[in-house]
Amino acid sequence: MNVLGRDFYLRDAKTVAKELLGKRLVRVADSVVLTMEISETEAYLGVDDPACHCFGGRRTPRTETMFGLGGHAYIYFVYGMHHMLNVVTGGEGDPCAVLIRGGLPLEGHDKMCQLRFQKEWEALKPAQKRSLADGPGKLAKALSLTRADNGLDLTASDLLICDGEPEPFTITVTPRIGIDYAGEAASWPLNFKLCRARQSRTNP
DNA sequence: CTTCAGATGCTCT
DNA sequence: GAGCATCTGAAGA
C-alpha cells in the first residue's frame, strides 16, 4: 500500500476527484489507525467556479490553505456543527480542491464508532453501520478531523491517502450537493460516486 | 423507507 | 447580521 505522492495532487481537481474514488484514506487518531475507502468526492474548480470558496480570487484566513500547494488538507467548519475534509489540488496560487463526501470503513471500526456514536461497533444497528461515514460531516467526525487539522500534508502526516486494491467499481456522475447559491454552476456534473453492483439474493 | 424542522457558531459583509 | 459544500430524530406511509 503506497502513499500517493505530490504529483497525484498537482493536476486538475476534476481528474483528482475521479481518481480518488477507491483510494484509502488513512488517519491516525489517538495512536489508532483508521482506514476508509473513499466512495464519494466533489470537485471545486477555483477562482472561476461560483461554488468554490475562492471564487473570483477571494482569499481570506479561512481559504488560505486552498491557495497553497496541492496535497494538503483543507478543513473548514459549516452549519455551526460540521467539519468538511477537502484535498487541495494544483500548484500554489491555484485554489482548487476536492471535497471528500463519503467513505467505507475498512479498519478501526470500533474507534470510528466511538468518535461518531460513543458506542461499540457491534452495538450498532445495521442502518447505522452502513451510514457511518456516508456524508462529509459524518466522515470528518468518524476520523476525528477538525479545523485544528487544517493544512495537514497528505503525503506525510497523521492523515494520508494511499493506493488501494479496490474491488471493481463504476463511477456515477451527478451535480454537486448543497450549493444552490452557485447559480448555473450548481448543475455542473462534478460529483463522483463509487458504485458496485449490489448483491441480489433472487437474481445472481 | 421518506420528509421535515431545528440545531448551532464561524466567516465575511 | 445573514448565510452556510449538514446531520439527526421524530413522525408518517
Side-chain angles (χ1 to χ4, degrees):
Chain A
M1 194 159 74
N2 297 312
V3 177
L4 299 180
R6 186 72 57 198
D7 289 348
F8 180 89
Y9 302 100
L10 302 185
R11 301 177 296 164
D12 68 280
K14 187 174 172 179
T15 301
V16 174
K18 277 188 277 195
E19 294 193 14
L20 278 174
L21 293 176
K23 297 289 191 292
R24 295 181 185 191
L25 190 54
V26 181
R27 165 68 165 166
V28 180
D30 299 329
S31 303
V32 179
V33 177
L34 312 176
T35 307
M36 299 238 194
E37 178 180 51
I38 297 173
S39 63
E40 183 177 353
T41 61
E42 220 163 65
Y44 286 82
L45 307 184
V47 299
D48 295 321
D49 178 0
C52 187
H53 291 163
C54 301
F55 179 53
R58 215 162 89 236
R59 187 165 185 162
T60 66
R62 179 179 65 155
T63 63
E64 191 59 30
T65 308
M66 274 182 98
F67 283 86
L69 187 62
H72 292 258
Y74 168 49
I75 301 175
Y76 66 92
F77 188 66
V78 277
Y79 295 126
M81 54 191 82
H82 299 297
H83 297 274
M84 305 282 118
L85 168 63
N86 296 250
V87 172
V88 178
T89 70
E92 290 190 44
D94 179 22
C96 301
V98 174
L99 171 66
I100 309 297
R101 286 192 62 90
L104 305 168
L106 294 179
E107 184 181 2
H109 295 68
D110 282 320
K111 179 67 176 174
M112 295 192 231
C113 226
Q114 285 297 332
L115 289 163
R116 275 269 281 136
F117 301 110
Q118 293 82 48
K119 284 186 189 170
E120 303 289 321
W121 173 255
E122 292 306 332
L124 294 188
K125 298 169 187 169
Q128 290 178 307
K129 289 184 180 178
R130 271 184 276 117
S131 65
L132 186 85
D134 66 350
K138 298 177 184 178
L139 182 136
K141 189 170 184 192
L143 295 179
S144 189
L145 293 168
T146 68
R147 279 178 308 157
D149 302 298
N150 183 40
L152 283 180
D153 185 348
L154 297 172
T155 68
S157 71
D158 284 345
L159 183 63
L160 302 167
I161 301 179
C162 303
D163 256 328
E165 292 174 1
E167 297 296 312
F169 61 88
T170 57
I171 298 176
T172 299
V173 185
T174 64
R176 293 174 290 183
I177 308 295
I179 53 161
D180 293 343
Y181 61 87
E184 182 204 336
S187 64
W188 294 356
L190 294 173
N191 175 297
F192 304 96
K193 278 189 283 290
L194 176 154
C195 291
R196 294 199 174 97
R198 56 179 177 183
Q199 308 232 359
S200 170
R201 281 184 293 262
T202 55
N203 189 13

